[in-house]
Amino acid sequence: MNKIVTFTQRVDVIPSYNERRDCADQRIARFIYECGYIPVPLPNDFTLALCAVRVLKPCGIILTGGNSLEKYGGNAQERDKTEYELISYAIKNNIHLYGFCRGMQVILDYFGQPLESVTNHVATRHKLISPIWQNREVNSYHNQGIYCKNFKSENLQIMAYTDDGVVEAIRHTQFNIKATMWHPEREEIFNPNDIRFVQDLFGGKE
């Protein structure tokens, strides 16, 4: 098994240096490593990102958090393009893909599910309603998502939601794509359920 997992990065704009920087929380790489994989970050240049994926042949791709989509007020158009291209490439080449927070938002948008503003979901915790994660509490750092009552995607299936009706986890019914709204890397101690979730999607340790 190829144990490389690539992951996307957020874009930070530094006006004083006239720079647009790719960066990621160091805990993301650590979480991927604890799942049993070698973490490799991808640049927010879709031609370079796709080149890296073709060469590295990862067993999985992770779309991470940070940055709103441009159509919802974000300022990282290059990231939107890169992640759209990565989703398309993953589907065409049967690479398993996981998105969290913004990563789930991109997946929803890619498959035609509009996002909406949600309240009381920033810097808090929620209990999940799910047959998979019964009574589990997760972190929450997003102000855009989708309420169950407005979820209309034909190919995406809800795996978990909160008691106020916000979708918290999804899976694609045909492709190897799953996503969560919570950040697995932001738990003080990585949750074994998140590690198993990633391993079940990408394949476990050798």
Side-chain angles (χ1 to χ4, degrees):
M1 178 181 70
N2 191 326
K3 296 180 65 176
I4 291 175
V5 167
T6 57
F7 63 95
T8 60
Q9 304 181 82
R10 68 181 299 142
V11 174
D12 276 355
V13 181
I14 314 297
S16 60
Y17 285 91
N18 192 29
E19 289 182 356
R20 299 178 67 83
R21 298 179 180 176
D22 293 340
C23 57
D25 187 334
Q26 294 174 355
R27 292 173 293 182
I28 294 173
R30 173 55 60 178
F31 172 75
I32 294 170
Y33 180 78
E34 291 297 325
C35 290
Y37 311 105
I38 300 169
V40 178
L42 295 172
N44 282 301
D45 178 318
F46 77 91
T47 56
L48 299 180
L50 292 179
C51 180
V53 171
R54 282 193 290 267
V55 172
L56 294 170
K57 296 180 171 55
C59 61
I61 297 171
I62 295 181
L63 309 180
T64 66
N67 299 124
S68 295
L69 277 72
E70 186 182 39
K71 67 168 64 176
Y72 295 102
N75 64 346
Q77 182 182 38
E78 69 270 42
R79 183 177 182 187
D80 295 356
K81 175 65 174 177
T82 297
E83 293 187 335
Y84 257 67
E85 292 290 338
L86 287 170
I87 294 172
S88 295
Y89 187 86
I91 291 171
K92 291 176 183 176
N93 293 276
N94 194 31
I95 300 174
H96 298 202
L97 186 143
Y98 167 54
F100 64 79
C101 200
R102 176 215 153 86
M104 176 165 152
Q105 294 171 348
V106 174
I107 291 168
L108 288 167
D109 187 68
Y110 181 91
F111 289 104
Q113 176 62 64
L115 303 178
E116 57 187 315
S117 295
V118 298
T119 57
N120 302 317
H121 276 259
V122 177
T124 187
R125 298 186 71 84
H126 296 281
K127 284 189 176 180
L128 297 180
I129 299 174
S130 168
I132 302 172
W133 300 288
Q134 295 181 1
N135 299 317
R136 183 174 169 197
E137 187 180 87
V138 296
N139 61 56
S140 186
Y141 294 95
H142 61 98
N143 52 26
Q144 293 169 334
I146 182 68
Y147 286 95
C148 293
K149 63 182 180 181
N150 299 323
F151 190 85
K152 303 185 185 304
S153 176
E154 295 181 0
N155 296 316
L156 297 175
Q157 182 181 70
I158 296 173
M159 301 177 69
Y161 58 94
T162 58
D163 56 5
D164 62 347
V166 174
V167 178
E168 284 289 310
I170 57 171
R171 62 178 291 272
H172 199 282
T173 57
Q174 299 177 32
F175 307 129
N176 294 307
I177 297 174
K178 293 182 179 179
T180 64
M181 283 306 302
W182 65 88
H183 287 249
E185 86 285 5
R186 288 188 180 177
E187 295 298 321
E188 185 174 349
I189 299 174
F190 298 143
N191 193 301
N193 290 307
D194 290 332
I195 291 175
R196 284 194 295 270
F197 185 71
V198 171
Q199 290 176 341
D200 287 345
L201 180 59
F202 295 161
K205 293 182 179 181
E206 289 183 327

